Amino acid sequence: MDAPRPEAAGDAEAWLTEIGGLSTTDLGHGPVRIGRQADNDLVIADDAKVSRHHAEIAHRAGVWWVTDRGSRNGTFVNDVKVAQVRLQDGDQLRVGSRRFAFILGPDPRSTVGEMADGLAPPTATLSAREREIVALVAAGSTDIEIARALHIRLSTVHTHLDRIRDKTGRRRRADLTRLASELGLQVPD
């Protein structure tokens, strides 16, 4: 479960992109401290569920880690409460009521030409339903949750994901989260 993926090693650029929001934080080489108090690197002052010094993301020995700093409400990665865990590309981090995607690679806000990882730039050829599915993926929904939310079969969700991949070259959840950001899609509540 905790085996590193190839993209998790080395000195890859790393970003924390708020899901449903507009903020993207360059993690540099860390550590990046998250909390309500002004002395944090990422300040979330408007959420009472966020502790003064809530969590920290750090890069050590080629691996990114998130550590809970004794927060009252906990730090969650992929909806599992953690004390400390290795982060991997596409992981979802929840601090208080805020959700973030941990993204390795080029700046997810970049939309200039071909992306460095060889993915096609976003296109306007996605259907309204495909855009809806991309937004739900970016919100952290599973394929089953998407099927339930849109009142469609799971196989139909997979067909849409295949078409999105064919049109954009993107299928991994982290890539679809970047795509949602690039297309300016509103993530549903």
Side-chain angles (χ1 to χ4, degrees):
M1 175 176 154
D2 231 16
R5 297 183 209 163
E7 66 266 32
D11 291 328
E13 293 179 75
W15 309 86
L16 204 58
T17 300
E18 185 175 3
I19 297 172
L22 300 175
S23 71
T24 295
T25 303
D26 180 356
L27 297 176
H29 288 289
V32 173
R33 292 173 184 87
I34 304 168
R36 270 186 319 172
Q37 197 160 310
D39 63 346
N40 288 289
D41 303 298
L42 177 56
V43 178
I44 305 174
D46 60 346
D47 188 341
K49 292 182 179 180
V50 175
S51 295
R52 289 179 298 155
H53 297 104
H54 199 102
E56 178 178 279
I57 298 175
H59 187 252
R60 292 188 299 275
V63 177
W64 285 95
W65 297 89
V66 63
T67 304
D68 184 84
R69 296 178 69 202
S71 69
R72 184 171 47 186
N73 294 308
T75 300
F76 295 79
V77 174
N78 300 324
D79 293 321
V80 175
K81 190 174 183 177
V82 299
Q84 182 178 55
V85 72
R86 176 187 313 210
L87 288 172
Q88 297 188 36
D89 189 32
D91 279 347
Q92 305 260 330
L93 173 71
R94 181 165 47 92
V95 175
S97 301
R98 299 279 183 87
R99 294 182 73 85
F100 300 89
F102 174 77
I103 299 173
L104 287 172
D107 186 341
R109 298 167 294 187
S110 173
T111 58
V112 180
E114 290 283 323
M115 295 192 55
D117 55 10
L119 300 175
T123 94
T125 61
L126 293 180
S127 70
R129 179 62 93 187
E130 290 164 347
R131 288 173 174 262
E132 203 171 11
I133 288 172
V134 169
L136 287 165
V137 168
S141 298
T142 66
D143 293 355
I144 292 171
E145 291 169 338
I146 292 169
R148 288 180 184 148
L150 299 178
H151 307 289
I152 60 178
R153 295 176 140 210
L154 181 59
S155 61
T156 304
V157 172
H158 292 157
T159 298
H160 284 299
L161 288 169
D162 289 340
R163 288 184 184 149
I164 293 165
R165 182 200 59 228
D166 292 345
K167 292 178 181 181
T168 66
R170 303 174 194 208
R171 176 65 184 253
R172 291 177 38 235
R173 288 187 129 49
D175 296 333
L176 294 175
T177 298
R178 285 187 195 106
L179 180 62
S181 175
E182 292 167 14
L183 294 174
L185 299 178
Q186 293 296 317
V187 177
D189 293 328

